[in-house]
Amino acid sequence: MPKQDSKGGKAARKPAASKPAARKPAARKPAAVAAAPAPLTKATLIDHLNADLAKEFQALIQYVQHAAVITGPQYDAIRAELAIHSNEEHAHAISLSEQIDFLGGTPGVDVATVHVSEDSKVMLEQDLDGELDAIARYKARIGQAEQLQEYGLRRALEDILMVEEEHARDLQNALDL
């Protein structure tokens, strides 16, 4: 006859001391599902644009410095082009600042890390890396502007993107890529 507890119910069986209690395998958690990105807001877009603005300031400074110190006869043509690029990056900074203000934000004054080198080829590679990064960022930003139905911003970003792509081509040609 089974033992009963003090309340008249069946007592729980204790496992035998000689046998360890069998453990159930831990329940497996479902495969991690990628968390959905936070919905894009105008404030988030402004933050992204300010990060882009810091990169434009960086590119402007970097191009000025590289144009001044690049050496070698093979770089004579690109030297003048780097000075032009710096002016175009300045125009991008102005455009972004105006767009940030229009969206209700305050244009930042941060400058992303400026890359310098004593090697002329490395300078151009640094510039190209920056342009390729800018192209990827502006493509993403155009999609974000579209998502928020900010069509004027989208158009301004498309104009900047076209110039950044031209810069990348100039640098690729100078590097024989």
Side-chain angles (χ1 to χ4, degrees), residues 54-55 58-59 62 110-116:
K55 294 271 192 161
Q58 172 258 329
Q62 189 168 307
D110 295 331
V111 179
T113 302
V114 176
H115 302 284
V116 296

Side-chain angles (χ1 to χ4, degrees), residues 1-151:
M1 191 173 221
K3 294 184 182 180
Q4 292 186 346
D5 67 11
S6 61
K7 296 182 183 172
K10 291 186 180 178
R13 288 182 105 181
K14 291 182 182 177
S18 63
K19 288 185 183 178
R23 290 187 175 186
K24 285 185 176 179
R28 291 186 175 231
K29 293 180 181 177
V33 177
L40 181 66
T41 64
K42 193 179 284 191
T44 302
L45 180 58
I46 290 168
D47 289 344
H48 290 315
L49 291 169
N50 265 315
D52 296 332
L53 180 58
K55 294 271 192 161
E56 292 295 339
F57 290 146
Q58 172 258 329
L60 184 161
I61 294 166
Q62 189 168 307
Y63 276 131
V64 167
Q65 196 267 350
H66 288 178
V69 301
I70 197 166
T71 59
Q74 69 274 33
Y75 299 119
D76 284 345
I78 195 66
R79 175 183 289 115
E81 195 62 37
L82 295 179
I84 293 168
H85 287 193
S86 72
N87 290 328
E88 291 169 334
E89 301 297 348
H90 182 223
H92 297 167
I94 291 170
S95 177
L96 286 174
S97 293
E98 290 170 347
Q99 291 299 318
I100 291 166
D101 179 68
F102 177 77
L103 292 171
T106 301
V109 295
D110 295 331
V111 179
T113 302
V114 176
H115 302 284
V116 296
S117 175
E118 293 181 10
D119 182 295
S120 296
K121 182 178 180 197
V122 171
M123 288 179 208
L124 296 178
E125 289 168 345
Q126 292 168 333
D127 294 337
L128 178 58
D129 288 345
E131 294 300 346
L132 296 176
D133 175 62
I135 290 166
R137 284 183 292 103
Y138 287 125
K139 285 180 179 179
R141 220 63 72 234
I142 289 166
Q144 292 166 341
E146 179 80 23
Q147 183 180 343
L148 292 179
Q149 299 180 342
E150 294 291 344
Y151 303 114

